[in-house]
Amino acid sequence: MVRGSVGVIFGETGTFEFKVMVFDSSKVYRGAYVKVWHDASSDEKDHTWVLGQVMAIKRYSDSFSIEEAMKGQRADKSDDKIVAEVVIIGSRDETGMLRAPVIPFSPGSPIFAADEGLTRSVLGLTGNEMNIGMLEGTNIKVQLSVNSLVQKHCSILAKTGSGKSYTASVLLEELLDHNIPMLILDPHSEYSSLKVEGEGSSEDFARFGVKPKGYGNSIKVYTPASKAINPDADELFRLNGMNLTVRDLTSIFPDNFSTTHTGILYEAIQKLRVEMETYTIEDIIFEVGNDKSKAKWNVINVLEQIRDTNILSPNPTSITELFQKGKAAVIDFKGVAPELQSMIVASLCSSLFEARKLNQIPPGMLVVEEAHNYAPEKGFSKTSSTDILRTIASEGRKFGLGMMVISQRPARVDKNVLSQCGTQVIMKVTNPNDLKAISKGLEGVTSYVEEELMRLPPGVAMLVSNEIERPVLVDIRIRKSKHGGESVNVLKAARTPTPPPPEFAANQIPEPVTPTPVRRPVPAVNTVEIHEHDVLDIPVVDSPGQDTNFTPPPKRQPSRPPRVEATNGEESEGGGKLFKKLFRANR
């Protein structure tokens, strides 16, 4: 046994894998990194350290019999054999390229625990900008490149409760520390907590080398609803409501809208453009109402729904205000209907992409939480925001606009969006459909990776990146800011005493208010002769809010003259005569 070695190679070996008899079980475990000195040829220049990873480990004993097992006692464990299966990752040559061995390893070669330098070099953990955690089971920091993460997009995938929002916030903190502008689409009010300094033990902060920090000066929360619904928001978010085009409005129309509806809208807007320099949605509704087609009512219904949301304004929120260096704008969708959310995302992301192409805003990151709602896979649903998110995923890199996709249902996220993400942070996933979607849509995912994803504990993520040679497990660091995505403790809420109702509600019951009847003024009555067929003007008691100038419509006149009975004693031609003829004949 070589000093410092943790095992030795035995049995049949190859260039990609071999078996190891383990001596020190405390340093060899499933997922551990080991190194072995490899004599690649007779030339000493080719001799190098090669990095490997333990993929499986087994322990057994030849002397422990069934009889002893039935007794349940075993005093001596010294003859246990521990066998590990190691897969070779490779080594770096003089040019920095990763090379795999071409000559099998020699049985009897000692195995050592891998050091930090070799592990970093071979795995490609050469970034030194974004500290997201530590390599699982080690004290090696995992640091990523800001440029690679932003330009090549990023996805964070996990089942509910596995910590995807927590992990996303860790990445956002690192981007804010490097003054990267961000626009965050937040459906569940989770990211406003970035303003507040985090809480935790000093040991946890010291272990990851970070300190508590709040980003209150860098975060601004916007609400498309109102301050009454979302009082924690800093500003209202509004879209441009002036001179809307057909394209602006048809992007939010339901799927059952036909070309007829679009034609009605087009004609109305064309008339407004000729007659008015500026027009609003109210003008469009009025002009559509002048159309003679019955299909106009469907168009008016949709336009009125948009108008009633108050999302349109003559003073819209500008994209230059939202996207600034060192700042993060959070669009908090609390209290906003899903259909309206999709419309806002489509309009906002289109403006963001166009502004970036024209270099009106700096390069930065678009963060899409619950991405399966805004870019769903075909067959699940259809939203107006899917196309623009696909465009940003495929073309955003050219213009320095990155995208972070966050979802708890990878199978329901559009594959064209997901496959463009060069960095994937995947936490625990157990749904078979989601596992298949990850395997098909992401690079570097093998059957081993799928098995690991089903067993990951909370707070541990698998990192897959073009910059890293193989998927690695990362213990995500503690947040600097406060976590805002905790689940509600139902039991605690049930045990908490309910506060007493206000005094007014407890002691005083308001009496129902009976509306005072409003009488229509009775016009002066002149002394006139009243004939038999004249209509009397009788005062009517109206309910509040009723139109007092309402005039009843004239009595409808019959479309044909009434039947006149014969006066000469003969029966008239009609139903009665026919009835009598039929029944008299049978007398």
Side-chain angles (χ1 to χ4, degrees):
M1 176 179 175
V2 179
R3 183 178 179 182
S5 66
V6 296
V8 63
I9 299 177
F10 75 96
E12 183 179 353
T13 65
T15 57
F16 297 108
E17 59 184 4
F18 53 76
K19 291 183 179 180
V20 175
M21 181 63 68
V22 178
F23 302 144
D24 188 351
S25 59
S26 63
K27 296 183 179 180
V28 180
Y29 48 87
R30 189 170 185 264
Y33 294 95
V34 295
K35 65 178 181 179
V36 56
W37 183 257
H38 185 46
D39 299 333
S41 66
S42 58
D43 190 352
E44 293 184 359
K45 293 182 180 180
D46 293 335
H47 299 179
T48 185
W49 287 105
V50 177
L51 184 70
Q53 186 177 18
V54 178
M55 305 302 290
I57 188 167
K58 298 178 181 178
R59 183 171 187 161
Y60 62 93
S61 174
D62 294 332
S63 62
F64 188 51
S65 63
I66 296 179
E67 291 76 12
E68 291 175 327
M70 293 177 65
K71 295 178 181 178
Q73 296 180 354
R74 187 182 179 209
D76 187 12
K77 299 181 182 180
S78 59
D79 63 338
D80 282 4
K81 297 180 179 63
I82 303 176
V83 177
E85 297 178 7
V86 178
V87 171
I88 297 303
I89 300 175
S91 60
R92 299 283 178 181
D93 60 14
E94 296 177 353
T95 61
M97 296 295 293
L98 183 67
R99 300 291 184 184
V102 295
I103 298 176
F105 291 86
S106 301
S109 299
I111 300 296
F112 302 86
D115 58 89
E116 180 177 346
L118 179 66
T119 304
R120 280 185 169 279
S121 173
V122 175
L123 291 180
L125 300 174
T126 56
N128 57 0
E129 297 164 349
M130 298 179 62
N131 174 22
I132 67 170
M134 291 186 178
L135 202 62
E136 175 70 0
T138 71
N139 292 323
I140 301 175
K141 287 185 178 181
V142 178
Q143 297 175 307
L144 302 177
S145 167
V146 172
N147 193 55
S148 176
L149 183 79
V150 174
Q151 282 202 343
K152 297 181 180 179
H153 308 308
C154 172
S155 65
I156 301 177
L157 310 173
K159 66 179 293 186
T160 303
S162 297
K164 67 181 189 311
S165 298
Y166 192 99
T167 302
S169 297
V170 168
L171 295 179
L172 299 185
E173 289 174 354
E174 294 293 328
L175 292 174
L176 284 172
D177 287 338
H178 289 86
N179 293 325
I180 305 299
M182 288 182 291
L183 178 61
I184 305 171
L185 307 179
D186 183 7
H188 304 306
S189 303
E190 294 178 317
Y191 295 96
S192 58
S193 63
L194 286 166
K195 295 181 177 182
V196 185
E197 185 176 293
E199 300 174 353
S201 64
S202 57
E203 292 79 7
D204 290 337
F205 284 107
R207 175 172 174 250
F208 292 101
V210 296
K211 296 180 180 179
K213 181 180 179 181
Y215 296 86
N217 296 329
S218 303
I219 304 291
K220 183 175 284 190
V221 180
Y222 294 81
T223 175
S226 64
K227 289 290 188 70
I229 296 176
N230 196 345
D232 296 330
D234 299 314
E235 300 285 346
L236 294 175
F237 174 83
R238 294 293 180 259
L239 295 174
N240 183 18
M242 305 300 294
N243 297 342
L244 294 170
T245 65
V246 176
R247 182 179 179 182
D248 295 333
L249 292 171
T250 54
S251 63
I252 58 173
F253 276 12
D255 295 339
N256 58 357
F257 265 51
S258 62
T259 54
T260 303
H261 303 100
T262 307
I264 293 172
L265 190 62
Y266 181 81
E267 290 181 0
I269 291 179
Q270 287 299 106
K271 289 180 182 179
L272 290 173
R273 283 183 170 179
V274 173
E275 299 172 359
M276 307 173 67
E277 292 185 3
T278 59
Y279 56 89
T280 65
I281 193 169
E282 289 283 0
D283 299 319
I284 299 175
I285 294 173
F286 178 82
E287 197 62 47
V288 170
N290 294 330
D291 196 280
K292 297 180 180 180
S293 172
K294 292 182 179 180
K296 68 181 180 181
W297 300 114
N298 290 335
V299 181
I300 291 175
N301 180 44
V302 173
L303 294 176
E304 288 181 344
Q305 289 180 12
I306 299 172
R307 177 200 62 191
D308 294 343
T309 61
N310 295 323
I311 190 63
L312 301 177
S313 170
N315 300 312
T317 307
S318 67
I319 198 66
T320 53
E321 176 188 344
L322 296 173
F323 219 67
Q324 300 179 21
K325 286 185 179 180
K327 305 290 183 181
V330 180
I331 310 298
D332 190 343
F333 286 110
K334 179 180 180 181
V336 181
E339 297 80 9
L340 184 59
Q341 290 185 29
S342 179
M343 179 204 73
I344 294 172
V345 171
S347 176
L348 183 57
C349 292
S350 298
S351 301
L352 179 69
F353 188 51
E354 291 299 322
R356 181 60 213 131
K357 287 196 295 185
L358 299 175
N359 203 28
Q360 296 175 348
I361 55 175
M365 175 77 85
L366 169 66
V367 181
V368 186
E369 176 66 82
E370 304 292 355
H372 54 276
N373 292 331
Y374 307 121
E377 175 67 349
K378 295 179 181 178
F380 288 101
S381 60
K382 182 180 179 181
T383 62
S384 56
S385 55
T386 301
D387 291 340
I388 182 59
L389 292 180
R390 284 181 184 173
T391 302
I392 294 176
S394 59
E395 302 178 18
R397 178 182 178 182
K398 304 174 185 177
F399 306 102
L401 180 60
M403 183 163 63
M404 181 182 294
V405 178
I406 308 168
S407 176
Q408 59 185 344
R409 292 306 312 272
R412 296 195 174 187
V413 182
D414 188 272
K415 297 298 179 294
N416 296 309
V417 173
L418 207 57
S419 61
Q420 296 294 328
C421 297
T423 301
Q424 297 92 30
V425 182
I426 312 170
M427 309 190 81
K428 187 175 184 178
V429 178
T430 56
N431 187 286
N433 294 329
D434 292 334
L435 287 171
K436 288 181 181 179
I438 292 173
S439 299
K440 293 180 180 179
L442 306 180
E443 299 178 0
V445 178
T446 62
S447 58
Y448 162 75
V449 173
E450 289 187 17
E451 293 177 3
E452 285 293 330
L453 291 177
M454 298 178 67
R455 299 180 176 88
L456 289 178
V460 176
M462 180 168 288
L463 178 63
V464 184
S465 173
N466 295 332
E467 306 297 321
I468 301 175
E469 295 301 332
R470 62 183 289 109
V472 297
L473 297 181
V474 182
D475 185 5
I476 301 298
R477 69 162 174 81
I478 189 172
R479 280 185 59 169
K480 300 177 183 178
S481 58
K482 182 182 178 181
H483 181 37
E486 301 95 339
S487 301
V488 176
N489 190 326
V490 180
L491 183 60
K492 181 179 179 181
R495 292 175 175 175
T496 303
T498 305
E503 273 187 31
F504 177 82
N507 302 328
Q508 301 179 10
I509 302 176
E511 297 181 359
V513 179
T514 304
T516 305
V518 180
R519 291 186 176 273
R520 181 181 300 168
V522 181
V525 180
N526 296 327
T527 306
V528 295
E529 184 180 357
I530 301 176
H531 300 282
E532 182 181 358
H533 300 290
D534 289 344
V535 179
L536 299 180
D537 187 7
I538 303 175
V540 180
V541 178
D542 298 332
S543 60
Q546 184 176 349
D547 186 4
T548 58
N549 297 322
F550 174 77
T551 303
K555 185 177 181 181
R556 181 182 175 186
Q557 299 297 326
S559 59
R560 60 183 179 182
R563 181 172 57 87
V564 179
E565 297 291 339
T567 58
N568 55 1
E570 296 183 2
E571 294 169 340
S572 63
E573 295 294 334
K577 182 179 179 182
L578 179 62
F579 178 86
K580 291 179 180 179
K581 283 184 178 181
L582 290 174
F583 285 89
R584 282 178 181 177
N586 296 330
R587 287 182 181 179

